[in-house]
Amino acid sequence: MQLTASDTGPLDALSDLFGHPADPLWEFSPYPPIADYGLLSDCEVTALVAPGGSIEWMCLPRLDCPSVFGAVLDRDAGWFRIGPEDMTVPADRRYLPGTMVLETSWDCGEGWLVVRDCLVMGPWRHSHPERTSHVRPPTDYDAEHTLLRLVRCVDGAVQLSMDCEPAFDYGRRRARWSHTDRGYHQAVIRPEGDIPAVGLTHDSLALTLTSDIRIGLEGPSARARTLLREGDTRFVALSWGSKTPPEDYLEASRRMTWTAHHWQHWLARGSFPDHRWRAYLTRSALTLKGLTFAPTGAIAAAATTSLPETPRGERNWDYRYSWIRDATFALWGLFTLGFEWEASDYFAFLTDVVERDGGDIQIVYGIDGRSDIDEHVLGHLHGYMGARPVRVGNAARTQRQHDVWGVVLDSLYLHTRSRDRLDDRVWQMARQQVEHALEHWREPDCGIWEVRGEPKHFTSSKLLCWVAADRGARLARLREDADAARLWQKAADEIHADICANALDDRGVFCQHYETTALDASVLLMPLLRFLPPDDPRIRATVIAISEELTRDGLVLRYKTAETDDGLSGEEGAFTICSFWLVSALSEIGEHRKARDLCEKVLSYASPLLLYAEEIDPRSGRHLGNFPQAFTHLALINAVMHVVMNEKLAERSAITSGGAVSPRRD
């Protein structure tokens, strides 16, 4: 598994002919491109599968705990590979339709091999609330705490190999396997000692490897190899916790089938348009569900930590937590696609932490609701392609970001609109958050992008403070509290006037903050949050300016690093969420053809499995940053639905006016 750079002579010869790009990604690396990873999930744990069949990222027993397999951040930090001997490049990879079951196929010359991977979902088995960490209403299904890998030789003959070498606590704790009383067909491993920092005992992290292949043990590595012929099948199950692993291939296959059907049944609850982009919407929905921590309803921002925004740079962050600002976008996306249960669970998580912490809410929490996610550096890890430091935890939790109150109020408002009442608990929460927004809106903050430079009067932060007052006034009117409605509407009007007086440049374009003429993609939220009508000339000028001046090869930057004191060095790629925001904003101002064309362009950058990282390098198209990114998939849903609805309206207009209906129109 430990890969080293091979002879670079052929690459040097190519660079002599075609020039050597400055992009360090051109250089040989043992790390797969970020976009080539596949995501597995059981809504408690996630795993990343490399194209070569290796699990290179998995944290236990929650997705934000220390890793057991961490090869995505250091090639010696643990892995679990199964596939053909001496072959790492598959012929094809796909998800079984409508599922989180990943299928990888190899053409091995003398035979074809197919491997299917999943994190197993099973029926609900808890008999008492005290025996589970779930705080949301029970469902019909639950995580089985098993990583299952099924193998089939469909033609010819193939030499199969398996290599499972966990490295606990982000690679800091090695351990040794030992066989159980099932002999060669089962082995167990557990770290030496507890991991007190996250409250894990060595027994809670015990891993059991079960297979119908004979398993040999070599210190920290469990290995197997066997020759498969046409029609032969094998299974390997890695389990943790109290669930019993499958004992044979038939039982393993039954569990994988149950898992696949679970995902398909879940997806069938959604509402998706009959459109050529439907697959992007369904995969985004599955990804959001996969990033959901079922026991609390929280949605993690991403499955990973420290995948770099800049190749070999320092812009490396831990995104395995739940950001409050994601709430509005999550509710938008979930309600739009008809997943009201998930929206309600996420709303419940949001209200739990807001009610618990009152006015002193953080911008980010652990997926279990904890607030202690202090940031520190793992100096022993090499980092993805040498990008260091590798961080766990996130110091943004201590920042002042004034958008948080507006996000909470907009979420409360969206949730209330989906119900027939505004109960007293939600109302008291709304009052508290509006009051905090009005108390602090005149102060500078760190902004939506969590800059680590000097606080500024960021336009997007003022915008969300306006949202807090505006949505608060609307809720007050629903509550028939005339005094609160009048007071908060007056405050909303004051904030609105302040933004219009201080955030515009001489062209009538809204800028990043009050002391600059620099552009910022976050102001694209203005038409989406209804700050001004879409046909207002200031909105139109802002959207057009960003589309023309804050893009690189058509993709949107969040800001120009040379014009923004973000406290960091180096450049970054185009933020994919910002490109999708621009699609929605262009749709809002009536630039439907531009919106559709940009949407099609950004969709074309999707990974082979239709997943997105945080950023895209406009020069190479490579994905950068943590992966997959929930925020990006939420923005994708909103952007695609904007374009689809515009196409539907144009189609109806053409029919009612008697005109011909074309599949492509402005």
Side-chain angles (χ1 to χ4, degrees):
M1 179 66 189
Q2 293 81 0
L3 302 177
T4 58
S6 61
D7 181 12
T8 58
L11 291 179
D12 291 336
L14 284 174
S15 67
D16 291 339
L17 287 172
F18 301 109
H20 205 302
D23 188 347
L25 289 171
W26 173 262
E27 299 174 11
F28 173 82
S29 171
Y31 294 88
I34 291 171
D36 282 359
Y37 284 97
L39 173 72
L40 306 179
S41 173
D42 62 6
C43 298
E44 290 187 23
V45 170
T46 57
L48 293 189
V49 189
S54 179
I55 305 290
E56 296 194 350
W57 182 251
M58 190 168 83
C59 303
L60 295 177
R62 298 190 312 266
L63 67 91
D64 63 345
C65 287
S67 65
V68 171
F69 303 123
V72 71
L73 294 178
D74 190 302
R75 304 317 275 174
D76 289 320
W79 60 87
F80 177 16
R81 181 183 186 270
I82 189 165
E85 186 79 21
D86 299 326
M87 180 171 288
T88 59
V89 179
D92 188 41
R93 300 171 81 215
R94 63 162 188 153
Y95 284 109
L96 298 189
T99 77
M100 293 286 284
V101 178
L102 182 64
E103 179 182 272
T104 306
S105 303
W106 279 276
D107 176 4
C108 305
E110 296 182 354
W112 278 83
L113 187 75
V114 175
V115 176
R116 289 181 175 175
D117 296 320
C118 75
L119 284 161
V120 178
M121 301 294 293
W124 185 272
R125 292 192 175 95
H126 301 290
S127 59
H128 197 281
E130 293 182 358
R131 297 171 187 169
T132 173
S133 60
H134 287 259
V135 296
R136 302 278 80 88
T139 63
D140 296 329
Y141 52 85
D142 194 23
E144 288 278 308
H145 303 156
T146 300
L147 172 63
L148 184 57
R149 319 194 73 177
L150 302 186
V151 185
R152 178 183 293 272
C153 179
V154 297
D155 180 66
V158 177
Q159 188 73 42
L160 178 74
S161 70
M162 183 202 74
D163 185 1
C164 183
E165 185 168 325
F168 297 93
D169 194 16
Y170 299 112
R172 288 181 290 203
R173 298 176 188 236
R174 284 297 200 276
R176 298 179 68 87
W177 290 94
S178 59
H179 284 113
T180 70
D181 56 7
R182 292 182 59 178
Y184 278 115
H185 294 289
Q186 191 175 74
V188 66
I189 190 172
R190 54 174 52 86
E192 296 179 1
D194 301 339
I195 306 178
V198 288
L200 299 176
T201 66
H202 74 288
D203 285 330
S204 68
L205 281 177
L207 302 179
T208 301
L209 190 67
T210 307
S211 180
D212 52 4
I213 311 172
R214 290 181 295 276
I215 303 170
L217 306 182
E218 298 180 9
S221 183
R223 296 181 178 177
R225 56 193 175 194
T226 187
L227 180 67
L228 300 184
R229 300 186 184 278
E230 182 175 342
D232 287 348
T233 58
R234 296 290 187 272
F235 86 96
V236 181
L238 184 72
S239 55
W240 56 96
S242 59
K243 300 293 195 313
T244 303
E247 295 188 359
D248 54 35
Y249 183 87
L250 185 63
E251 172 64 12
S253 179
R254 187 192 66 79
R255 294 196 192 188
M256 183 169 286
T257 299
W258 203 102
T259 300
H261 287 169
H262 153 71
W263 287 110
Q264 290 169 338
H265 293 158
W266 177 83
L267 194 65
R269 285 181 31 227
S271 177
F272 300 93
D274 182 17
H275 191 273
R276 64 188 184 281
W277 292 341
R278 178 188 174 106
Y280 296 94
L281 292 173
T282 57
R283 183 49 53 188
S284 290
L286 286 162
T287 302
L288 291 174
K289 180 65 172 176
L291 291 172
T292 299
F293 185 58
T296 64
I299 300 178
T304 58
T305 179
S306 299
L307 294 185
E309 298 173 10
T310 304
R312 297 183 182 174
E314 63 174 335
R315 298 172 184 266
N316 317 317
W317 316 108
D318 193 346
Y319 280 4
R320 297 171 296 158
Y321 309 115
S322 190
W323 266 256
I324 295 297
R325 84 161 50 88
D326 291 5
T328 291
F329 304 102
L331 294 178
W332 276 358
L334 293 171
F335 279 131
T336 296
L337 297 181
F339 294 105
E340 295 194 3
W341 291 354
E342 286 69 26
S344 295
D345 283 352
Y346 188 52
F347 181 80
F349 169 78
L350 172 69
T351 53
D352 283 349
V353 297
V354 170
E355 190 172 46
R356 182 192 69 197
D357 292 355
D360 193 25
I361 58 174
Q362 297 179 181
I363 65 165
V364 57
Y365 289 88
I367 55 174
D368 58 351
R370 74 188 190 281
S371 56
D372 55 335
I373 53 172
D374 294 331
E375 183 178 302
H376 61 279
V377 172
L378 299 178
H380 68 286
L381 292 179
H382 179 264
Y384 176 83
M385 291 184 63
R388 305 179 75 180
V390 173
R391 295 179 172 95
V392 295
N394 202 302
R397 80 173 188 88
T398 64
Q399 288 188 344
R400 274 292 180 187
Q401 295 179 24
H402 295 166
D403 59 350
V404 65
W405 303 299
V407 168
V408 171
L409 261 297
D410 204 38
S411 300
L412 296 178
Y413 181 66
L414 285 170
H415 183 77
T416 300
R417 286 180 58 187
S418 71
R419 300 295 186 270
D420 58 0
R421 71 183 188 280
L422 174 58
D423 60 48
D424 190 64
R425 179 192 180 205
V426 173
W427 172 240
Q428 295 305 321
M429 196 180 305
R431 291 185 66 96
Q432 185 182 58
Q433 298 306 305
V434 174
E435 289 167 1
H436 280 281
L438 299 186
E439 180 183 353
H440 296 287
W441 76 267
R442 294 181 179 85
E443 303 167 3
D445 75 331
C446 297
I448 189 173
W449 304 125
E450 302 171 0
V451 299
R452 301 197 176 190
E454 286 295 318
K456 301 288 184 183
H457 292 278
F458 287 102
T459 303
S460 61
S461 297
K462 308 294 186 187
L463 167 68
L464 268 298
C465 287
W466 170 81
V467 168
D470 176 79
R471 296 337 184 237
R474 297 186 192 195
L475 291 173
R477 287 191 283 271
L478 288 174
R479 188 77 177 186
E480 297 183 346
D481 189 331
D483 291 340
R486 184 167 50 253
L487 177 65
W488 294 346
Q489 188 60 58
K490 181 180 178 181
D493 294 342
E494 181 183 358
I495 299 172
H496 195 285
D498 188 75
I499 295 172
C500 293
N502 295 292
L504 288 165
D505 65 11
D506 294 339
R507 303 178 296 170
V509 171
F510 287 102
C511 301
Q512 183 182 66
H513 58 78
Y514 284 5
E515 301 165 10
T516 187
T517 59
L519 297 175
D520 192 301
S522 63
V523 300
L524 291 169
L525 295 175
M526 284 183 158
L528 306 183
L529 293 170
R530 302 296 185 254
F531 178 77
L532 286 169
D535 59 357
D536 187 287
R538 293 165 291 184
I539 292 294
R540 181 175 182 81
T542 301
V543 174
I544 296 301
I546 289 174
S547 70
E548 294 177 350
E549 301 171 27
L550 197 60
T551 57
R552 185 179 298 160
D553 292 338
L555 301 179
V556 183
L557 307 173
R558 56 178 181 169
Y559 51 74
K560 294 181 179 178
T561 55
E563 298 175 345
T564 302
D565 177 21
D566 61 8
L568 299 166
S569 62
E571 295 185 353
E572 59 188 19
F575 262 58
T576 317
I577 185 175
C578 299
S579 296
F580 283 126
W581 282 350
L582 180 56
V583 171
S584 299
L586 287 168
S587 293
E588 290 283 344
I589 68 171
E591 294 286 347
H592 301 313
R593 186 185 185 92
K594 288 183 178 179
R596 185 191 64 216
D597 290 347
L598 177 59
C599 193
E600 195 147 26
K601 180 183 182 73
V602 184
L603 291 177
S604 73
Y605 284 98
S607 82
L609 296 171
L610 302 188
L611 302 176
Y612 283 91
E614 185 176 20
E615 300 182 22
I616 294 171
D617 180 355
R619 293 171 297 179
S620 65
R622 286 189 179 244
H623 288 220
L624 301 170
N626 285 306
F627 181 84
Q629 180 86 350
F631 218 2
T632 301
H633 285 276
L634 289 166
L636 180 154
I637 292 169
N638 191 263
V640 167
M641 292 305 294
H642 264 90
V643 174
V644 170
M645 286 188 290
N646 285 329
E647 289 186 355
K648 296 292 185 184
L649 290 172
E651 182 176 316
R652 290 173 188 169
S653 176
I655 292 173
T656 56
S657 64
V661 179
S662 170
R664 292 183 63 87
R665 63 184 67 83
D666 292 338

